[in-house]
Amino acid sequence: MVLLAVFAGIALFLSGVGLFGVIAYAVSQRRREIGVRIALGARPGAVAAMFFSYGLRLLAVGSLLGIAGALAARRVLAGLLYGITASDPVTLVATCALVCLIGAFASIVPAWRATAPFRTGGGAAGFGRGLTRGASHARVASALVCAEVALAVMLVSASALLLLSFSGLASVAPGFDPSHVVAARITVPETEYRAAQRVGQLYDAVIDQVAGIRGVRSVAAVDKLPMAQPVWGFAVRVEGEYEDAT
């Protein structure tokens, strides 16, 4: 569970850093436009709001693409989830809200910094030398933002679903009370206990000695400890109960 939470946090952090960088780049390409707008009478706050709304539009498009991608990949996650569906609406909406919140912060900070010289009385010095590019560069920057948001929504939603699924699975009662249970592993030297009969005698001796310890109520030995190690292709059965009909 901790590992899944770490992965989700890393995905969210990387998406936030990527969004900040791409939107900051998109804003820097329009430095000359900012200077012209403010020179024509636009308020710095209004210009910052314009870029903020631009970022919100990209976030909306990217979120929709991310939801579509998450729904398209639900068959892949369906076999890995327990107690929750891959298209859980609450998880998808919460993920989109979280990514959009980080994206909104990434949008407003570069826009606010771009208008800082005008708000501090520095004027438009240097804005006429801005890196204004063509419409094709603006479209590429917008596409990068949308792709970043979509990928963030897919990664964070998948991590959240796996985390919730694991949490639900961990809360399922195993069918027995594990409190006051002590487990130990015994490694039998193959050179001294090659015969199966001698191995059985060793286990019987260990069980008898442990059973004689004060406070011990019962002792048992198993080949594969349930829920402690992978037991692929094997069934765990209690001796004398649930035996095969054959």
Side-chain angles (χ1 to χ4, degrees):
M1 184 181 297
V2 175
L3 188 60
L4 289 175
V6 170
F7 283 150
I10 292 175
L12 192 60
F13 174 76
L14 292 179
S15 66
V17 172
L19 285 169
F20 181 89
V22 174
I23 293 181
Y25 173 80
V27 171
S28 69
Q29 303 309 301
R30 302 173 67 177
R31 287 172 58 86
R32 181 178 298 174
E33 178 185 344
I34 295 174
V36 171
R37 286 178 176 272
I38 294 180
L40 293 176
R43 293 179 301 174
V47 175
M50 178 188 69
F51 284 103
F52 180 64
S53 62
Y54 162 73
L56 291 183
R57 290 195 298 271
L58 297 182
L59 285 171
V61 174
S63 296
L64 292 177
L65 293 176
I67 292 176
L71 293 177
R74 63 182 183 274
R75 292 185 178 180
V76 179
L77 288 175
L80 304 175
L81 301 178
Y82 172 83
I84 190 172
T85 61
S87 58
D88 181 57
V90 177
T91 303
L92 292 177
V93 171
T95 299
C96 289
L98 184 59
V99 173
C100 287
L101 181 63
I102 295 177
F105 178 78
S107 301
I108 194 63
V109 172
W112 195 250
R113 285 181 177 178
T115 59
F118 299 94
R119 289 181 284 103
T120 57
F127 270 70
R129 298 186 297 272
L131 300 175
T132 302
R133 301 292 181 86
S136 61
H137 290 83
R139 286 194 293 267
V140 170
S142 300
L144 286 175
V145 173
C146 293
E148 189 78 29
V149 174
L151 184 61
V153 170
M154 294 179 63
L155 289 176
V156 176
S157 62
S159 300
L161 287 172
L162 290 173
L163 188 62
L164 292 173
S165 176
F166 185 82
S167 177
L169 186 62
S171 63
V172 175
F176 58 90
D177 185 10
S179 59
H180 305 293
V181 175
V182 178
R185 177 178 296 179
I186 300 176
T187 302
V188 180
E190 296 183 358
T191 56
E192 300 181 12
Y193 295 89
R194 294 183 178 180
Q197 183 178 3
R198 291 203 60 191
V199 175
Q201 293 175 351
L202 173 63
Y203 279 115
D204 290 338
V206 171
I207 291 175
D208 292 338
Q209 291 182 11
V210 175
I213 299 176
R214 183 178 179 181
V216 175
R217 295 184 178 181
S218 62
V219 185
V222 294
D223 183 32
K224 302 290 184 181
L225 188 63
M227 304 180 68
Q229 61 189 108
V231 188
W232 305 110
F234 292 91
V236 178
R237 298 182 178 89
V238 179
E239 185 178 359
E241 300 182 15
Y242 307 104
E243 298 290 349
D244 290 338
T246 58

